[in-house]
Amino acid sequence: MPSGFHLHCSLLAFIIYGLVFQVHELQSAPLNVTGPPGPITVAMGEDVVLPCRVSPEQSVQDIEVIWFREHFSPFVHRYKGGQDQYGEQMLQYQGRTELLKDSLTNGSMDLKIFHVQLSDRGNYTCFVHRDSDYDEAVVELKVTASGSAPLIALERYQDGGIRVACRSAGWYPQPQVLWQDPHGQHLPSLSESVTRDKSGLFAVESSIILTRGTNQKLSCSVRHALHSQEQGSAFYISVNVVLDPDTAHCDLVLSDDCKSVKREDTRQDIPDIPERFNPWRCVLGREGFTSGRCYWEVEAVDGGGWTVGVSREDVKRKGEIEFKPEEGIWAVGQWAGHFQALTSPNRTLLPEIQTPKRIRVSLDYEEGRVAFFSVDEEIPIFTFPLASFEGMRVHPWVWLGPGTWLKMWP
């Protein structure tokens, strides 16, 4: 044969040998599996991708990928022979995992977990196997949960002031509770408690004592331990109630500062405008509320029958009025010779409560809570069932019996 033919065959064989050698070297290179440099953090209920990369890049038909937790079996997810394997999958992950196959040829063995649960938190091992070679990497998953907006509530009188509690639930990990004054300065708490529910979520409660006469905007915030996310609620500790003369019955005489009212039963020569109550001797506070939590106090300086509370802005002003929640009035008072709550369909007598001279009216607009406290005895009097104010403005409200004089505090 011509020498050129032998040279050509030798060159071709050399090239083929070189290619085979390179492929063999590529396949024979040891597996190197790596995870992310730090933990992966996800909010509970969201989806998450756990990264895992293998080098050199492998044929998807030649490798086996197993994601597992503490034990190799049952596994979180398994991929072998180009297909997902579910035979021995952990129960809590069934229907919730997927190996992202679009990136397999690029060396990514990423696992996607859907609708992350709190129990999913912890370490995951990405185990990659090819023939007799294998390697693994550990990925840490942190799960967080942001709880409910804190509920601030007046609880009871204590140590010369009033105890206010801030509560929030549904957090992970354990959050931090902070009280702040209007200038953003932190206030020390009286007590704190932490509990966990069956799913492992934290509930927190913090209390603070406010002395009588405090007039400031107080806020409570519950802050996530892992990042700056927080939930907060503001609480107007007290409001300055000024009575509205345009709503006062013509037999009611208001002081110059509109902070007190007397029933004189001497008709004043004032116009009977639509806003004015007639014939019932009632008057509203000038300012109403459409949000927030607040309180004010009413003192019965003199007289017999009286009722105090709140009413919706659309309360009936003319003709006969029934003092009950269905008509937009939530009140307690000395009525028909008895101290009672004006509930419906029947009044609720409060014989165990000595008729107080000074009552604190507490309003939580968002929750729909109207509650009453005796300032004299420093005890709760009555709390109405939760109501919906339907977005309507709510005003302080009083009714005065013959010879009664009421004063608003502060």
Side-chain angles (χ1 to χ4, degrees):
M1 288 186 181
S3 60
F5 178 78
H6 287 287
L7 179 61
H8 176 75
C9 290
S10 299
L11 180 61
L12 181 61
F14 177 78
I15 293 174
I16 293 175
Y17 174 79
L19 290 174
V20 171
F21 178 79
Q22 288 179 346
V23 171
H24 177 74
E25 284 293 308
L26 180 64
Q27 290 181 342
S28 300
L31 287 176
N32 182 29
V33 178
T34 56
I40 303 297
T41 302
V42 64
M44 190 174 67
E46 296 184 358
D47 302 339
V48 68
V49 173
L50 302 183
C52 176
R53 185 164 186 82
V54 60
S55 60
E57 298 171 2
Q58 307 292 317
S59 167
V60 296
Q61 295 293 330
D62 297 337
I63 63 170
E64 178 183 20
V65 181
I66 300 178
W67 282 89
F68 66 92
R69 299 290 300 271
E70 292 83 4
H71 305 289
F72 198 79
S73 179
F75 50 76
V76 175
H77 194 95
R78 184 184 184 191
Y79 177 86
K80 184 179 181 181
Q83 293 184 342
D84 294 306
Q85 310 288 330
Y86 297 104
E88 299 177 27
Q89 189 178 34
M90 294 176 66
L91 183 63
Q92 77 177 79
Y93 294 99
Q94 290 182 4
R96 297 177 50 231
T97 62
E98 176 188 355
L99 198 70
L100 300 183
K101 301 176 183 61
D102 290 344
S103 55
L104 282 175
T105 54
N106 297 325
S108 295
M109 310 293 150
D110 301 347
L111 178 70
K112 186 172 186 178
I113 303 176
F114 299 91
H115 309 298
V116 170
Q117 306 167 1
L118 191 60
S119 58
D120 294 338
R121 69 188 187 279
N123 290 334
Y124 291 75
T125 299
C126 174
F127 177 85
V128 181
H129 175 233
R130 184 203 62 198
D131 297 329
S132 60
D133 197 7
Y134 63 88
D135 195 16
E136 63 184 30
V138 176
V139 182
E140 181 182 1
L141 176 63
K142 292 185 175 182
V143 180
T144 67
S146 296
S148 60
L151 171 65
I152 305 179
L154 291 170
E155 287 195 321
R156 61 182 180 272
Y157 290 96
Q158 181 177 330
D159 300 332
I162 190 166
R163 184 185 180 108
V164 182
C166 175
R167 304 183 183 95
S168 183
W171 293 85
Y172 193 89
Q174 179 180 329
Q176 182 183 18
V177 183
L178 299 173
W179 291 96
Q180 291 180 308
D181 66 13
H183 307 291
Q185 298 297 316
H186 295 307
L187 302 174
S189 61
L190 172 71
S191 64
E192 294 185 3
S193 65
V194 180
T195 58
R196 297 183 74 173
D197 61 20
K198 293 181 179 179
S199 63
L201 297 176
F202 287 93
V204 292
E205 176 176 337
S206 178
S207 297
I208 196 170
I209 297 292
L210 296 173
T211 57
R212 186 177 300 172
T214 301
N215 189 0
Q216 61 179 342
K217 180 181 178 183
L218 183 73
S219 66
C220 171
S221 60
V222 184
R223 182 173 299 170
H224 225 297
L226 292 182
H227 45 74
S228 59
Q229 186 177 359
E230 67 180 28
Q231 295 271 21
S233 289
F235 180 54
Y236 289 86
I237 295 304
S238 65
V239 291
N240 183 24
V241 173
V242 176
L243 299 174
D244 185 356
D246 289 338
T247 66
H249 185 275
C250 59
D251 286 350
L252 302 182
V253 178
L254 274 61
S255 61
D256 291 340
D257 62 1
C258 294
K259 295 285 291 181
S260 64
V261 56
K262 293 182 181 180
R263 176 169 169 174
E264 298 284 1
D265 283 333
T266 301
R267 186 179 182 87
Q268 302 177 82
D269 186 16
I270 53 178
D272 187 17
I273 57 178
E275 294 82 6
R276 194 178 307 284
F277 286 93
N278 189 18
W280 288 95
R281 277 73 170 180
C282 304
V283 61
L284 297 180
R286 180 178 296 163
E287 301 297 329
F289 310 100
T290 57
S291 64
R293 303 173 177 90
C294 59
Y295 78 82
W296 59 94
E297 294 177 1
V298 185
E299 180 182 0
V301 180
D302 195 10
W306 50 267
T307 59
V308 302
V310 302
S311 80
R312 289 200 313 260
E313 191 170 47
D314 65 346
V315 68
K316 188 177 179 182
R317 311 292 176 93
K318 307 298 184 184
E320 289 300 317
I321 308 172
E322 291 190 65
F323 298 165
K324 60 182 182 180
E326 288 84 348
E327 298 298 325
I329 295 173
W330 294 261
V332 302
Q334 185 69 18
W335 178 273
H338 300 283
F339 186 60
Q340 55 187 286
L342 306 185
T343 52
S344 177
N346 300 312
R347 303 283 190 251
T348 301
L349 298 180
L350 303 169
E352 71 283 3
I353 304 293
Q354 182 178 355
T355 302
K357 288 292 185 181
R358 190 161 170 172
I359 286 183
R360 174 170 289 191
V361 184
S362 175
L363 169 67
D364 183 334
Y365 190 95
E366 281 82 6
E367 190 177 359
R369 184 184 300 275
V370 181
F372 300 85
F373 299 81
S374 169
V375 180
D376 306 336
E377 301 294 328
E378 298 188 350
I379 58 172
I381 295 174
F382 185 80
T383 300
F384 276 85
L386 298 184
S388 172
F389 301 124
E390 301 174 352
M392 189 72 62
R393 189 174 296 274
V394 174
H395 291 260
W397 173 94
V398 297
W399 167 85
L400 289 80
T404 299
W405 174 21
L406 298 178
K407 187 174 182 180
M408 316 302 292
W409 295 89

